[in-house]
Amino acid sequence: MADTATASDARPPKSVVYCGVCSLPPEYCEFGGTTKKCAEWLEKAHPALYTALYSSEALSQNLSSLSVDAQKRAEKDAQKKAAKAEAAEARESEKRATSKVIIKRVERNKRKHITEISGLEHFNVDLKKAAKEFGKKFATGSSVTKTASGGEEITVQGDVSDEVLDWVVEKYNVPEDNVEQIEDKKKEKKAAPPMVAPQPT
Amino acid sequence: MFKKEFTAGQKSKVKSSAQRAVRAKVIETYPGLEPYIDDVLPKKEQLDLVKVPDRVSLYCNGSTPLFWQHMDDAIIPHLTVVHKYPWAFKRIRIDRGAIRFVMSGATLMVPGLTSPGGRLPGDEDAGVYDNGGQDIDAGEVVVVEAEGKEHACLIGVLKMGTKEMKEKKKGVGIENGHYVGDGLWKLDLS
């Protein structure tokens, strides 16, 4: 314990460093499951703290205060936790790689379109917030709507598919290959199908 | 209490009269926090109330969570507040072996406090945990720190007075607390 019990009125608040990886105070990183990454982060961001926490001296001191039996159990526990965290991460990255964001332009009334964006939820995006953001950015109406298949998608008024594409890639770190742009021609008039209308993209 | 991660419910502004009431209640519960109350709960700022599952309401200022309260129970500070002003609260300490259980959301058991690594008020080498030699009663809010660590890892309501703990040396210490890395800790309010 670094602080002493002399609590004077003028005592300034403690500034606390939180780990950039697991958000805990760095001294608790060892219980978070992503210890390795946390250590790397700390070494880069706060070298002084890193040496204080991860020097071999500090580590051995930590261990000596526990009985051998408890040590073993703790280690097993930590390993299990780490494995779990790793598996979760792998699943996440796999999901990222395989899932697609689809930006669809739907013709609503001749020259008027709406843009439907589906699949964003696979990239850890809060749809409601994203919808609000789109609305703000493009100064149009934008909302989360339920699709027929049970999922949810974002509907933006107006043809903004190109801008949405850029925004999605930039803001939500979705790889560009995973974004698909489609134009829905379902609502075109029956006479139209034979000739392919030029579609400005 | 917050073992599972959750998403915040609706956010609403707190009336200024209610805001004063919260302020008064915080000072009453935590006299040690009084010198800093203007930093923690600025008078002029608009306080927000966020509804959280399990009938917990969370008071926050913008996107920083400050206090939470389960129904009409004691109002309990968020651990980020505790980390800033640890000396303003009643503190106890657990031994190293108990940390991993606390961090995975288990109930805090008394042996973790009475063992050599733990500290309770009235112990010989209690240091900052002495609380003026006064025992802490059941039902009071305590901050739990850990052996060899600088910051608090848990905050909650004592289920058993510290005097009783020292006699019995077993049983439940704190149930349903808020610990670092739980759902409330990870809650994103932005």
Side-chain angles (χ1 to χ4, degrees):
Chain A
M1 295 290 108
D3 58 83
T4 45
T6 53
S8 65
D9 283 5
R11 199 165 168 186
K14 245 190 206 174
S15 67
V16 189
V17 175
Y18 293 114
C19 175
V21 179
C22 61
S23 85
L24 304 177
E27 47 186 15
Y28 289 109
C29 280
E30 50 180 319
F31 301 99
T34 50
T35 320
K36 231 179 190 171
K37 268 195 183 155
C38 295
E40 277 165 21
W41 175 86
L42 196 66
E43 191 171 13
K44 252 192 212 147
H46 301 275
L49 249 176
Y50 176 81
T51 41
L53 284 175
Y54 289 97
S55 63
S56 52
E57 207 177 312
L59 286 179
S60 61
Q61 198 190 346
N62 277 346
L63 289 176
S64 62
S65 66
L66 280 179
S67 71
V68 182
D69 205 27
Q71 252 179 62
K72 257 189 205 148
R73 255 180 294 148
E75 193 156 310
K76 223 174 170 183
D77 206 61
Q79 260 172 11
K80 216 159 88 187
K81 228 176 187 177
K84 234 183 197 171
E86 225 163 74
E89 204 178 303
R91 231 178 304 133
E92 184 87 344
S93 60
E94 162 128 19
K95 211 167 89 183
R96 273 189 100 92
T98 52
S99 48
K100 269 205 154 125
V101 173
I102 297 170
I103 301 171
K104 202 185 211 174
R105 193 182 84 156
V106 184
E107 190 174 304
R108 201 172 55 79
N109 193 357
K110 280 278 173 182
R111 284 173 50 228
K112 304 197 173 171
H113 299 87
I114 53 172
T115 312
E116 287 175 351
I117 306 136
S118 54
L120 262 185
E121 65 271 16
H122 300 302
F123 293 87
N124 282 337
V125 179
D126 187 339
L127 289 187
K128 231 171 151 182
K129 275 181 197 152
K132 179 104 187 167
E133 234 161 53
F134 283 135
K136 256 191 199 156
K137 183 161 165 39
F138 306 126
T140 59
S142 166
S143 64
V144 180
T145 44
K146 289 199 171 94
T147 54
S149 54
E152 283 185 325
E153 62 182 14
I154 299 176
T155 313
V156 187
Q157 285 180 14
D159 179 9
V160 286
S161 41
D162 292 343
E163 290 94 328
V164 167
L165 178 82
D166 294 342
W167 182 251
V168 162
V169 170
E170 196 179 311
K171 181 85 197 286
Y172 301 121
N173 294 323
V174 178
E176 205 162 352
D177 298 341
N178 286 19
V179 186
E180 206 175 337
Q181 232 176 331
I182 326 179
E183 284 170 30
D184 197 12
K185 281 172 267 181
K186 233 188 268 168
K187 282 172 192 160
E188 257 175 85
K189 285 208 171 142
K190 273 173 201 160
M195 52 181 262
V196 180
Q199 296 285 354
T201 40
Chain B
M1 185 163 281
F2 306 105
K3 202 166 174 185
K4 273 210 186 116
E5 283 184 38
F6 55 84
T7 47
Q10 55 163 311
K11 193 173 181 179
S12 56
K13 291 185 170 120
V14 177
K15 274 197 289 187
S16 65
S17 58
Q19 208 165 321
R20 268 198 307 274
V22 169
R23 214 178 136 94
K25 184 135 195 228
V26 168
I27 292 179
E28 188 198 325
T29 331
Y30 310 104
L33 203 60
E34 202 176 345
Y36 313 102
I37 193 76
D38 278 330
D39 296 333
V40 180
L41 284 170
K43 248 183 195 160
K44 293 275 179 255
E45 292 286 330
Q46 174 65 53
L47 204 60
D48 289 321
L49 178 82
V50 176
K51 280 193 181 165
V52 177
D54 288 333
R55 300 183 193 176
V56 171
S57 39
L58 175 69
Y59 294 101
C60 47
N61 177 5
S63 61
T64 42
L66 297 172
F67 296 92
W68 61 274
Q69 187 174 27
H70 173 241
M71 296 174 80
D72 268 338
D73 296 354
I75 187 161
I76 298 175
H78 191 264
L79 275 169
T80 45
V81 177
V82 177
H83 288 164
K84 273 188 198 151
Y85 311 98
W87 52 86
F89 305 98
K90 288 180 181 165
R91 290 184 279 178
I92 52 179
R93 196 178 91 172
I94 51 170
D95 62 10
R96 217 193 120 74
I99 303 176
R100 68 189 178 97
F101 296 107
V102 168
M103 302 285 290
S104 50
T107 309
L108 178 66
M109 306 306 274
V110 173
L113 291 160
T114 50
S115 70
R119 294 279 181 280
L120 286 170
D123 286 356
E124 277 164 29
D125 49 358
V128 291
Y129 305 101
D130 197 35
N131 189 31
Q134 298 254 308
D135 283 311
I136 306 174
D137 291 327
E140 285 198 63
V141 177
V142 285
V143 168
V144 179
E145 295 187 347
E147 181 187 6
K149 307 282 179 197
E150 192 186 341
H151 301 296
C153 63
L154 173 77
I155 184 162
V157 177
L158 272 189
K159 277 229 127 179
M160 187 191 288
T162 51
K163 198 172 170 199
E164 199 183 341
M165 281 184 190
K166 275 181 267 180
E167 283 160 11
K168 275 196 184 161
K169 303 208 168 175
K170 57 181 168 185
V172 174
I174 293 176
E175 218 171 33
N176 281 339
H178 160 44
Y179 58 94
V180 282
D182 66 356
L184 182 61
W185 178 266
K186 287 192 176 136
L187 183 64
D188 183 20
L189 284 169
S190 57

